[in-house]
């Protein structure tokens, strides 16, 4: 598509990855609080004043990410993907099972086809737009699709492997999203929380919800790093090319820590990654709104990164003639997605502002 499109795509991708760091910090804090609140209610009863400030746990999560960001070659750790997959399946199965069990025990399907009741039609429109943004957030892997494909070995060809992996992953995640979403709404109705597992956590079996939320936290610890590595690598390359003679940028210093092997430290990496993690944590502390932030990120990135650029690349690769039937259909599809994303973006911004002004 040319260098201009590449720079625009890169800017959007880097912004999106930064946003996912913010979202993961907020989500981890919510899961931390859910564990503590569940244990508190279990120990002291449901009338106990069990409330916890999320800011402290965001800072804890940020501190952990600061340590993980200093691990050399973190992006080459294959076991990280295995751990993330195990954690994902664990809390997804737990959420699905508890949603189904709660619906059966309630004896009634809560909620309605019209969704959450609102005071005015405009408020309903805003809620719908935010929900669309949350749905768009649900498939973020397009942001790092090329990063993943670049690490694959051939044969078979990378694009064939990615096509097979994408089909399988979309089918599996769609199954879990639909089941957790439908059974969660059936169990809680209009009171369904943004993070489903926090809705069960204040009741029995509290230990199972503790385990599920702990799986979320472990998954997010690794997930934050997966989404941060492209930014770290871009910064390393950019500054090395810009300042080839700078010792601050290019020199490594060996640090010896007792009981650990010698560790090589680069001052630029330490400074940049500290600023990066600190900035995502600071924004999360300032805008700790789970649903609204997820909707904003989903609406902002869905159309350009998941629709527009892939469609335009497809036109060039397959030499699709302009004004042909296939060209018109895909352009129409892209236009509809643009309008939907714009609608979700406006509603998400309104949601963040209204939450902040409160």
């Amino acid at each position: 598509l040319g260098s201009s499109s590449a720079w625009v795509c890169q800017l959007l991708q880097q912004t999106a990855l930064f946003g996912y760091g913010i979202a993961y910090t907020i989500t981890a804090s919510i899961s931390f609080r859910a564990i503590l609140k569940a244990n508190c209610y279990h120990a002291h009863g449901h009338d106990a004043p069990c409330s916890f400030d999320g800011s402290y746990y965001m800072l804890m999560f940020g501190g952990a990410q600061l340590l993980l960001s200093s691990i050399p070659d973190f992006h080459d750790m294959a076991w990280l993907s295995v751990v993330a997959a195990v954690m994902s399946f664990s809390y997804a199965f737990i959420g699905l099972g508890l949603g189904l069990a709660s619906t059966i025990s309630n004896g009634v399907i809560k909620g309605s086809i019209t969704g959450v009741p609102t005071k005015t039609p405009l408020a309903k429109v805003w809620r719908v737009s935010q929900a669309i943004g949350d749905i768009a957030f649900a498939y973020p892997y397009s942001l790092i699709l090329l990063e993943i494909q670049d690490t694959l070995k051939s044969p078979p060809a990378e694009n064939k492997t990615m096509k097979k992996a994408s089909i399988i992953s979309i089918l599996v995640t769609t199954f879990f999203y639909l089941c957790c979403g439908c059974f969660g709404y059936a169990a809680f109705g209009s009171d369904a929380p943004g993070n489903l597992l926090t809705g069960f956590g204040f009741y029995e079996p509290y230990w199972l919800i503790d385990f599920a939320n702990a799986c979320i936290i472990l998954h997010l610890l690794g997930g934050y790093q997966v989404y941060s590595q492209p930014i770290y690598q871009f910064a390393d390359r950019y500054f090395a090319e810009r300042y080839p003679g700078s010792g601050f940028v290019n020199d490594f210093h060996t640090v010896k820590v007792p009981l650990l092997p010698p560790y090589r430290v680069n001052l630029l990496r330490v400074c940049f990654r500290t600023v990066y993690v600190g900035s995502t944590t600071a924004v999360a502390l300032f805008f700790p709104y789970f649903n609204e932030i997820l909707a904003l990120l989903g609406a902002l990135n869905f159309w350009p990164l998941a629709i527009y650029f892939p469609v335009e690349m497809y036109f060039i690769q397959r030499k699709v003639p302009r004004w042909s039937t296939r060209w018109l259909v895909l352009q129409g599809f892209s236009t509809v997605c643009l309008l939907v994303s714009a609608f979700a973006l406006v509603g998400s911004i309104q949601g963040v502002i209204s939450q902040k002004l409160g």
Side-chain angles (χ1 to χ4, degrees):
L1 299 180
S3 59
S4 298
S5 293
W7 273 103
V8 172
C9 182
Q10 181 171 254
L11 177 62
L12 289 170
Q13 184 195 33
Q14 306 287 21
T15 303
L17 295 175
F18 180 81
Y20 278 85
I22 298 169
Y24 280 15
T25 302
I26 296 172
T27 309
S29 169
I30 293 173
S31 292
F32 270 120
R33 291 160 61 194
I35 292 174
L36 294 172
K37 192 174 287 189
N39 293 341
C40 178
Y41 281 139
H42 177 74
H44 305 291
H46 287 259
D47 295 326
C50 298
S51 60
F52 302 90
D53 182 18
S55 301
Y56 175 73
Y57 303 102
M58 291 185 193
L59 292 172
M60 282 181 55
F61 185 81
Q65 293 303 334
L66 197 57
L67 292 176
L68 292 175
S69 295
S70 64
I71 297 178
D73 300 324
F74 195 94
H75 58 284
D76 290 332
M77 295 183 179
W79 58 266
L80 184 64
S81 296
V82 177
V83 172
V86 172
M87 296 299 102
S88 297
F89 278 110
S90 296
Y91 64 71
F93 272 118
I94 292 172
L96 191 160
L98 288 175
L100 177 61
S102 296
T103 303
I104 294 174
S105 63
N106 291 337
V108 62
I109 296 177
K110 295 184 178 181
S112 68
I113 195 65
T114 58
V116 178
T118 57
K119 296 180 180 179
T120 65
L122 181 60
K124 170 64 76 173
V125 171
W126 292 136
R127 293 297 294 267
V128 170
S129 66
Q130 292 170 27
I132 292 174
D134 283 328
I135 294 171
F137 178 87
Y139 292 94
Y141 80 100
S142 60
L143 298 175
I144 55 172
L145 193 64
L146 297 178
E147 306 284 347
I148 296 172
Q149 185 167 322
D150 190 49
T151 66
L152 296 178
K153 298 179 180 179
S154 60
E158 292 92 335
N159 62 329
K160 292 183 179 180
T161 302
M162 285 305 301
K163 184 175 182 178
K164 181 178 179 181
S166 296
I167 292 173
I168 294 173
S169 63
I170 288 176
L171 289 175
V172 171
T173 52
T174 299
F175 169 78
F176 280 110
Y177 288 158
L178 285 175
C179 289
C180 290
C182 291
F183 286 126
Y185 188 60
F188 294 107
S190 297
D191 296 324
N195 183 347
L196 178 64
L197 288 168
T198 63
F200 304 105
F202 313 139
Y203 305 95
E204 304 298 332
Y206 82 101
W207 58 269
L208 184 60
I209 308 303
D210 285 357
F211 174 74
N213 279 289
C215 288
I216 291 178
I217 295 170
L218 287 175
H219 183 196
L220 295 179
L221 283 169
Y224 183 105
Q225 288 299 315
V226 169
Y227 281 97
S228 300
Q229 290 303 318
I231 295 180
Y232 294 162
Q233 293 172 33
F234 170 78
D236 293 344
R237 289 195 304 267
Y238 175 80
F239 287 109
E241 293 172 0
R242 188 75 181 272
Y243 306 102
S246 172
F248 177 80
V249 173
N250 299 293
D251 291 350
F252 285 83
H253 308 276
T254 301
V255 176
K256 294 183 179 180
V257 180
L259 305 179
L260 293 176
Y263 177 67
R264 300 180 71 213
V265 175
N266 176 267
L267 295 179
L268 171 66
R269 291 186 179 184
V270 172
C271 294
F272 178 83
R273 298 181 186 195
T274 300
V275 171
Y276 177 84
V277 173
S279 59
T280 58
T281 305
V283 176
L285 289 167
F286 196 69
F287 295 105
Y289 315 122
F290 179 78
N291 277 13
E292 290 76 13
I293 292 297
L294 264 58
L296 178 62
L297 292 171
L300 188 63
N301 303 304
F302 172 70
W303 177 74
L305 295 175
I307 305 298
Y308 173 75
F309 285 119
V311 167
E312 292 299 316
M313 288 189 288
Y314 177 81
F315 287 156
I316 293 177
Q317 284 184 327
R318 299 298 177 91
K319 297 180 174 60
V320 179
R322 188 178 290 268
W323 304 112
S324 65
T325 301
R326 181 177 298 183
W327 187 91
L328 289 172
V329 169
L330 288 175
Q331 286 289 19
F333 168 70
S334 180
T335 302
V336 170
C337 289
L338 171 61
L339 296 175
V340 172
S341 296
F343 174 61
L345 180 62
V346 172
S348 303
I349 293 174
Q350 187 274 339
V352 172
I353 294 174
S354 63
Q355 285 280 8
K356 191 62 182 177
L357 299 180

